[in-house]
Amino acid sequence: MGMGGNATRVLIVDDEESQRNGLASMVSSWGFAAETAADGQEALDKLATFAAHVMVTDLMMPRMDGFELLRRLSAQGSGPPAIVVTAFGNIETAIATMHDLGAFWFLEKPIEPRALRVLLDRAAIAAAPGDEAERLKRELSYQGVLADLVGRSAGMQEVFSLIRQVSPSKAAVLISGESGTGKELVAPPVHSLSPRRGRPVVPLTAPHARDADGERAVRHEKGAFTGALERRAGCFELAQNGTLLLDEIGDMPIATQAKLLRVLEDSHVRRLGGKGEILVDVRVIASTNKVLADALKKNELREDLTTGSTCSTSTCRR
């Protein structure tokens, strides 16, 4: 895949010649520019002239092993995201390399090609600057990978297409689908591909604001009611310029849905006990496991909350 007009550069570090050459050949066939090193010391030397975007390294090697290589790069505060591969993998090793030594991911040999390909793509995104990272995310979605969503089926491609369409806009998004269809995986790429990326993301389970007590817990002024000892910012204020995630909006009472609709329409909120309204700039991404037609018929969901951008995951099981 491309990066800024050039192929993404991958450094492969392994003391077994057949292993590193085999990986280099496979990675090159995917369109990456591959370079190899026989151990950690040679890898450091290569990185001085080969500006790798991603590194794939073995752990157990002579002269300088993968552990020391990662320690050196971590101490220097430099080096590309590292995918660690080893035939001696266990959970303790994975924790040490990923958390203590800052490795990007951990794979056991024999390497499963599809898993490596996905990890290379994601590591390249992690290494890319902001605008380039967003371009790569969009490019990957056409290849069947978007954040934690993976799939090439017609249903998944439809979801990817909807995400690409709605992400740049300011429109509220409603994600519908049965429990277990991955609704929670849709919101992150919608936010990260939007102009609001880097801004706050505030999750709220809709039933938590189902009555007056719930609303008090969300936002109020000091002294607004008994026990209100200090001012508390609401979820919209906390998500200012960012995204508010409302889980299971279909379980929110109709009266509370009406208040939500008012905020969506005029972008103002008022704290309990407050004298004025507060202007907010927040995008709402909501989800529901209810069948929309049934929820509307039973008056469980306001129709005017379902007229914006709607993405269904019901037919897109992973």
Side-chain angles (χ1 to χ4, degrees):
M1 61 182 294
M3 177 174 280
N6 300 307
T8 301
R9 296 181 292 276
V10 181
L11 177 62
I12 297 168
V13 190
D14 198 306
D15 61 312
E16 296 182 18
E17 184 177 4
S18 60
Q19 180 75 14
R20 66 175 181 269
N21 289 341
L23 280 176
S25 177
M26 180 168 60
V27 166
S28 296
S29 72
W30 294 334
F32 297 92
E35 183 60 86
T36 63
D39 55 43
Q41 184 57 59
E42 186 177 354
L44 290 177
D45 295 339
K46 287 284 180 73
L47 286 172
T49 56
F50 181 74
H53 298 113
V54 185
M55 181 171 68
V56 180
T57 181
D58 193 10
L59 282 180
M60 312 304 291
M61 297 179 291
R63 196 159 67 139
M64 183 188 293
D65 61 21
F67 295 104
E68 182 61 23
L69 170 61
L70 291 173
R71 289 191 190 96
R72 295 277 188 94
L73 292 174
S74 178
Q76 296 171 9
S78 62
I83 300 171
V84 171
V85 294
T86 180
F88 304 92
N90 53 49
I91 189 63
E92 291 79 12
T93 304
I95 292 174
T97 55
M98 290 182 63
H99 296 286
D100 298 342
L101 302 179
F104 181 78
W105 206 258
F106 181 92
L107 282 178
E108 288 188 85
K109 295 179 181 179
I111 297 172
E112 203 284 307
R114 184 176 178 183
L116 177 60
R117 175 62 192 271
V118 169
L119 287 175
L120 285 174
D121 289 335
R122 292 183 179 178
I125 289 174
D131 291 344
E132 180 68 7
E134 302 314 314
R135 185 191 67 75
L136 290 174
K137 288 178 183 177
R138 292 181 182 277
E139 182 178 309
L140 283 177
S141 71
Y142 290 102
Q143 301 175 22
V145 180
L146 186 61
D148 288 327
L149 290 167
V150 179
R152 294 179 178 271
S153 68
M156 288 304 298
Q157 288 304 308
E158 181 180 356
V159 171
F160 289 170
S161 177
L162 284 170
I163 290 173
R164 290 194 299 268
Q165 290 176 47
V166 304
S167 294
S169 76
K170 295 183 178 181
V173 176
L174 176 62
I175 306 165
S176 66
E178 301 171 14
S179 296
T181 55
K183 296 189 299 298
E184 73 282 358
L185 301 178
V186 175
V190 171
H191 175 79
S192 65
L193 291 176
S194 78
R196 297 176 185 269
R197 59 183 177 273
R199 298 292 186 173
V201 178
V202 177
L204 178 69
T205 301
H208 286 175
R210 62 184 308 121
D211 54 23
D213 289 337
E215 290 180 24
R216 288 174 181 172
V218 174
R219 49 174 172 73
H220 60 71
E221 291 284 356
K222 180 179 179 180
F225 54 88
T226 302
L229 302 179
E230 61 182 1
R231 169 185 287 181
R232 175 174 293 181
C235 55
F236 277 93
E237 292 175 78
L238 295 173
Q240 183 72 292
N241 298 318
T243 302
L244 176 63
L245 305 181
L246 285 177
D247 186 34
E248 299 306 341
I249 193 174
D251 292 334
M252 176 185 286
I254 288 293
T256 309
Q257 291 182 32
K259 295 177 182 179
L260 171 62
L261 181 64
R262 178 178 175 276
V263 177
L264 293 177
E265 289 177 339
D266 66 16
S267 300
H268 284 83
V269 296
R270 183 195 295 270
R271 293 196 190 101
L272 290 181
K275 296 181 179 179
E277 294 191 329
I278 301 169
L279 179 65
V280 292
D281 179 12
V282 175
R283 184 185 201 172
V284 172
I285 301 178
S287 68
T288 180
N289 59 11
K290 297 181 181 295
V291 177
L292 294 183
D294 293 344
L296 292 172
K297 186 181 298 183
K298 295 176 182 177
N299 199 34
E300 295 174 340
L301 193 62
R302 289 182 62 102
E303 184 173 3
D304 36 19
L305 285 177
T306 68
T307 55
S309 301
T310 303
C311 177
S312 174
T313 61
S314 298
T315 58
C316 309
R317 298 179 186 274
R318 297 182 72 200

